[in-house]
Amino acid sequence: MTDTLYRCGCNPFAQTGRSKLQNKRVLLNQQIIKQMRMRAGAENLLKATSNNKVREQVVLELSYVNSDLQLLMEQLEGLNSSVEVYQNVQETSSIPLIPLGLKETKDVDFSVALKDFILEHYSEDGSNFQDEIDDLMDLRQACRTPSRNPSGVDLLANYFSQLSFLETRFFSPTRQIGIFFTWYDSFTGVPVCQQNISLEKASMLFNMAALYSQIGTRADRQTQTGLEDAIAAFQKSAGVLHYLKETFTHTPSYDMSPAMLSMLIRLMLAQAQECLFEQITLPGIRNEFFSLLRIAQEAAKVGETYGEVHQSMIQTPIKNNVPFFWTTMSELKTNHYKSLAHYFVSTALLDHQLTPSDDEDKQEKALSQIYDAMPEGRSPLDILKDKEERRRIGKAHLQRSIMGHEEAIRIHSRCRDLQKLYILSDILQAGLRRSLTKFEQNDKEEEFTDYMLAPDIISKTEKKAEMEIPAATKVKVKDLFQRLGPLSVFSAKQRWSAPRTIRLRLQDRDLGFTLKGDAPVQIQSLDPLCPAAAEGLKEGDYLVAVGDTECRWLGVSDVMKLLKDVDEEGVNIRVVSMLDSSSQPMPTKSATYGGLPKTYSMICLAHDEDDKKSRKVAKKPSFLSWGLKNKQKSGSTLSLPNADYNGPWNRPCPTYPNSYNESALY
């Protein structure tokens, strides 16, 4: 493989914040699998023994193992809550976003299995393809540490495309070749091991989506260019997740189950919508009636989107596996952005009075479009013309803004991981202070408390975040094993005879046959009395070599050029015959952890990281199948609440305990 771009990932030993987290994830996954082996062994012993003393001891040991597993799960949840290391280091006033962590895997040694298959199936010396096998293994290893930029995405996309070639070349529907793919659940650390290459392809798509989310999180959201990059990245992340959900169904890993993927798609789109809102408000918000109402509806749209995310996160069984940090962050943002919407509506009503020079019809229409039903049944024009009514309704919106920010601050205090995000606390406090200040400015001491409840604001956006399936999922690459011949002919589903050498001699200046087809060419119109037929040439044979020249990729004209100089002594040609492939498919061997203890298969994962020996596993059906605006009235501007925060994203985030329910695994 000549292009080093696709062979090099990040330095796995680099001491960056992100690499440290991934290394911790690797160690946790190894500890989780160790504890699960111990638990499976204890449960088997519990079933096998009738000795009461032994059973009591085993039950005690099981309680210790389950306790250790719970602690490990909480540590893994803490890693998924450590969002600060993924943020842009220059961010000082933006609410943090949530990235997805990369799925971890174990090393795979393709060498022995592919060499054996090449020798047995294609009758070629597998050692001649050692360079191609090394390139494949280097590519997979590099995909474990992709760089957080478009080059990293290209790296994953290249390997994903190579997997399609690999599947067609080597993964026969009638047999297994003994290559096991092991991937760990991103949320629970539960390992899944299968011989089905679809698990590898699905996991690579998940990591591609995760990498896009990390690119979006890292973007500088204080610039228009950075916000455009973040929006595109989150929309592409949602598109890849949607492609994964639609292409690979019945996945054995819970983080790739349809319910979890649907939630993750909503989360990515919500974060894209949040960046779109920040893009609109980045230049500043004009303190003008129509502009304020427009921004209010945009903020309401972001709050509504995060509300949908929060609702999907609290559904069973997702709530048992999603980090508590994620759930509280989505709930917090729902309240925060809805509070902003009420604040902007109140500002439009309190700071701007209807004057003779204003367009009454336009303002009336704008106000009527932000409510499902007008407050207390009043008409929009009556509200606009009545100064006291404007003030009363504006104060009602301020009250809802204050209550929403207070609720967001309360939610913030519930989660220890959120409490460590000091910038988030500062932004919420700034929003609350701004609403309280405006309420005090419009409050009269002599008036009685008005308990009017402001109606909800209709969400509306000029640009809705949409899924975008990136071209990276369908990138064209060069087949590493193209020397085996055209993929349409030389594939794992076809069965071939061993190459036969035929001595080709002219008879009356005639070869005794004609050629047809594209590469590779086939023998047709064979004269049964010609010398080649006597030596074993058959109708329909594929011509793979003339003399020392390989012909698998040559067409008829090129092959005829090689044969035109055949003299009386003749030339050796090599041909292969296609055999009957009507044998019944074998069931897929697979092993997976998850769900009830009786579904465990410990054998295929019982070896250590360095143990490369093949082991026999119980036959199970494969879990994985795939198919397929307005005039200005004032030069003043408003801004979103922000915090003067100059510190880098380097504060530690502790873990937060959350229940782990085994039965919730997919």
Side-chain angles (χ1 to χ4, degrees):
M1 196 168 180
T2 59
D3 194 346
T4 57
L5 167 68
Y6 297 120
R7 298 185 61 177
C8 300
C10 290
N11 180 4
F13 300 105
Q15 293 300 302
T16 63
R18 189 176 68 120
S19 65
K20 289 178 181 178
L21 279 185
Q22 283 301 129
N23 290 334
K24 288 180 181 178
R25 188 184 293 272
V26 172
L27 294 175
L28 281 177
N29 288 335
Q30 293 174 356
Q31 292 172 12
I32 287 173
I33 189 174
K34 179 180 178 181
Q35 294 298 322
M36 295 190 77
R37 289 181 196 144
M38 293 175 62
R39 184 171 69 175
E43 288 171 343
N44 291 335
L45 179 58
L46 197 61
K47 295 175 183 178
T49 184
S50 58
N51 188 303
N52 290 333
K53 289 186 177 181
V54 173
R55 292 179 65 87
E56 290 176 2
Q57 184 66 30
V58 170
V59 169
L60 180 61
E61 292 295 333
L62 269 176
S63 67
Y64 290 141
V65 171
N66 287 329
S67 177
D68 289 342
L69 269 175
Q70 178 68 30
L71 292 174
L72 291 172
M73 297 296 181
E74 290 173 2
Q75 292 180 45
L76 185 59
E77 180 185 350
L79 293 184
N80 288 323
S81 302
S82 301
V83 301
E84 69 282 358
V85 300
Y86 294 95
Q87 313 297 317
N88 187 281
V89 294
Q90 298 177 346
E91 287 283 7
T92 60
S93 59
S94 298
I95 299 178
L97 300 172
I98 298 175
L100 297 180
L102 298 177
K103 287 173 69 71
E104 280 296 332
T105 182
K106 298 177 82 171
D107 290 336
V108 174
D109 187 358
F110 292 101
S111 185
V112 175
L114 293 189
K115 286 180 182 178
D116 288 348
F117 191 88
I118 290 171
L119 177 61
E120 178 183 343
H121 188 80
Y122 295 105
S123 300
E124 298 278 349
D125 186 353
S127 60
N128 293 334
F129 292 84
Q130 186 63 54
D131 289 343
E132 287 86 346
I133 295 173
D134 289 343
D135 283 339
L136 177 65
M137 294 174 64
D138 288 346
L139 180 58
R140 187 182 192 274
Q141 186 65 25
C143 287
R144 299 181 66 176
T145 55
S147 56
R148 200 168 19 149
N149 52 41
S151 296
V153 175
D154 291 341
L155 176 68
L156 300 184
N158 180 274
Y159 181 61
F160 177 76
S161 298
Q162 287 291 347
L163 288 175
S164 297
F165 288 128
L166 198 69
E167 182 176 25
T168 306
R169 290 280 190 199
F170 300 106
F171 287 79
S172 169
T174 60
R175 57 168 289 186
Q176 299 290 353
I177 64 174
I179 296 176
F180 287 91
F181 300 101
T182 303
W183 287 88
Y184 296 89
D185 190 291
S186 180
F187 297 102
T188 66
V190 175
V192 174
C193 180
Q194 286 194 349
Q195 294 191 74
N196 195 332
I197 196 173
S198 294
L199 173 62
E200 182 90 345
K201 295 170 73 176
S203 299
M204 199 52 55
L205 282 176
F206 185 94
N207 276 0
M208 198 182 299
L211 194 58
Y212 272 123
S213 74
Q214 294 179 16
I215 293 173
T217 305
R218 189 188 190 187
D220 183 1
R221 288 150 57 205
Q222 298 304 310
T223 65
Q224 286 287 349
T225 302
L227 283 168
E228 289 173 1
D229 292 341
I231 293 165
F234 285 120
Q235 291 184 149
K236 288 178 180 178
S237 179
V240 174
L241 290 170
H242 178 75
Y243 181 74
L244 169 58
K245 177 186 172 186
E246 296 298 316
T247 308
F248 298 90
T249 57
H250 306 101
T251 51
S253 184
Y254 184 73
D255 55 0
M256 296 189 290
S257 67
M260 183 63 78
L261 290 176
S262 296
M263 184 277 292
L264 293 176
I265 291 170
R266 290 191 182 97
L267 175 61
M268 295 300 112
L269 291 178
Q271 296 189 137
Q273 194 69 51
E274 183 178 5
C275 293
L276 284 167
F277 176 75
E278 292 175 344
Q279 189 178 45
I280 295 171
T281 60
L282 183 63
I285 304 167
R286 293 201 310 269
N287 191 2
E288 183 264 335
F289 184 79
F290 297 108
S291 178
L292 289 169
L293 293 186
R294 168 176 167 252
I295 296 300
Q297 290 191 292
E298 292 281 356
K301 180 64 179 179
V302 180
E304 179 185 73
T305 308
Y306 271 111
E308 294 172 354
V309 173
H310 179 253
Q311 286 301 314
S312 65
M313 285 183 177
I314 62 176
Q315 301 300 316
T316 304
I318 294 177
K319 67 179 181 181
N320 298 316
N321 297 291
V322 170
F324 181 64
F325 171 87
W326 289 24
T327 307
T328 51
M329 177 67 94
S330 62
E331 186 180 8
L332 181 151
K333 288 189 176 183
T334 300
N335 285 275
H336 172 67
Y337 282 103
K338 286 184 177 180
S339 297
L340 286 181
H342 285 290
Y343 174 81
F344 289 125
V345 171
S346 72
T347 304
L349 292 173
L350 294 171
D351 291 3
H352 302 277
Q353 302 298 324
L354 189 63
T355 64
S357 61
D358 291 331
D359 188 335
E360 290 185 2
D361 293 339
K362 191 174 181 180
Q363 287 203 16
E364 180 183 14
K365 181 180 179 182
L367 186 62
S368 65
Q369 289 179 342
I370 69 170
Y371 299 122
D372 277 327
M374 296 302 297
E376 298 182 344
R378 301 290 297 273
S379 70
L381 191 58
D382 289 343
I383 296 173
L384 291 171
K385 290 182 175 180
D386 190 334
K387 182 177 179 180
E388 285 301 314
E389 191 64 17
R390 289 179 72 131
R391 190 172 68 85
R392 194 168 73 92
I393 297 175
K395 285 179 60 179
H397 281 291
L398 277 176
Q399 287 174 334
R400 289 202 63 178
S401 177
I402 293 169
M403 289 189 295
H405 276 117
E406 288 176 341
E407 177 64 15
I409 292 172
R410 187 188 68 82
I411 294 169
H412 178 267
S413 66
R414 275 175 22 209
C415 179
R416 286 183 293 180
D417 291 318
L418 281 177
Q419 292 173 20
K420 295 300 181 180
L421 299 178
Y422 299 103
I423 183 175
L424 179 57
S425 175
D426 293 343
I427 291 174
L428 296 178
Q429 292 289 349
L432 176 60
R433 286 194 301 269
R434 187 170 65 171
S435 295
L436 286 170
T437 300
K438 183 167 283 292
F439 186 85
E440 292 171 358
Q441 292 171 351
N442 292 272
D443 192 29
K444 294 181 179 179
E445 292 182 2
E446 68 274 10
E447 70 179 358
F448 294 102
T449 303
D450 192 341
Y451 291 103
M452 173 187 174
L453 180 65
D456 292 332
I457 299 170
I458 296 176
S459 64
K460 183 181 178 181
T461 181
E462 294 181 358
K463 186 175 181 181
K464 183 181 179 182
E466 301 285 353
M467 290 182 295
E468 178 184 344
I469 299 179
T473 58
K474 299 179 181 178
V475 64
K476 293 184 178 180
V477 296
K478 180 181 178 181
D479 180 11
L480 286 174
F481 296 91
Q482 65 173 349
R483 286 199 293 130
L484 289 173
L487 197 61
S488 59
V489 177
F490 296 99
S491 64
K493 67 180 181 180
Q494 308 288 358
R495 295 180 61 240
W496 299 95
S497 67
R500 308 189 309 279
T501 300
I502 305 294
R503 188 66 179 178
L504 190 61
R505 298 182 178 85
L506 292 177
Q507 186 179 42
D508 298 330
R509 302 185 61 81
D510 183 18
L511 294 173
F513 59 86
T514 60
L515 302 176
K516 70 172 183 178
D518 296 325
V521 297
Q522 276 185 283
I523 305 297
Q524 73 168 2
S525 303
L526 177 66
D527 182 356
L529 301 179
C530 71
E535 291 206 17
L537 188 65
K538 300 177 183 177
E539 184 89 11
D541 280 350
Y542 287 87
L543 183 58
V544 296
V546 175
D548 295 329
T549 305
E550 288 287 335
C551 300
R552 296 172 190 266
W553 288 95
L554 300 183
V556 172
S557 60
D558 293 324
V559 174
M560 289 305 299
K561 290 178 183 178
L562 297 174
L563 295 176
K564 70 177 182 178
D565 296 328
V566 176
D567 53 22
E568 293 182 357
E569 294 184 1
V571 64
N572 288 334
I573 63 172
R574 283 191 294 132
V575 296
V576 294
S577 302
M578 188 178 296
L579 304 179
D580 182 21
S581 302
S582 60
S583 58
Q584 293 296 322
M586 293 171 58
T588 301
K589 297 180 181 179
S590 66
T592 176
Y593 291 82
L596 300 176
K598 64 181 179 181
T599 66
Y600 294 157
S601 177
M602 308 302 299
I603 301 174
C604 67
L605 286 173
H607 55 280
D608 294 329
E609 289 289 333
D610 297 327
D611 185 4
K612 304 301 181 183
K613 297 180 181 179
S614 60
R615 298 175 186 268
K616 185 177 180 182
V617 299
K619 295 181 180 179
K620 293 184 181 179
S622 172
F623 281 86
L624 227 160
S625 61
W626 58 289
L628 307 167
K629 156 198 183 7
N630 310 320
K631 67 179 179 179
Q632 287 186 330
K633 294 187 62 179
S634 171
S636 63
T637 62
L638 298 177
S639 63
L640 296 180
N642 56 63
D644 183 12
Y645 183 80
N646 297 318
W649 296 91
N650 58 1
R651 301 180 186 270
C653 281
T655 59
Y656 190 85
N658 189 21
S659 60
Y660 173 71
N661 186 352
E662 278 192 327
S663 62
L665 291 178
Y666 185 73

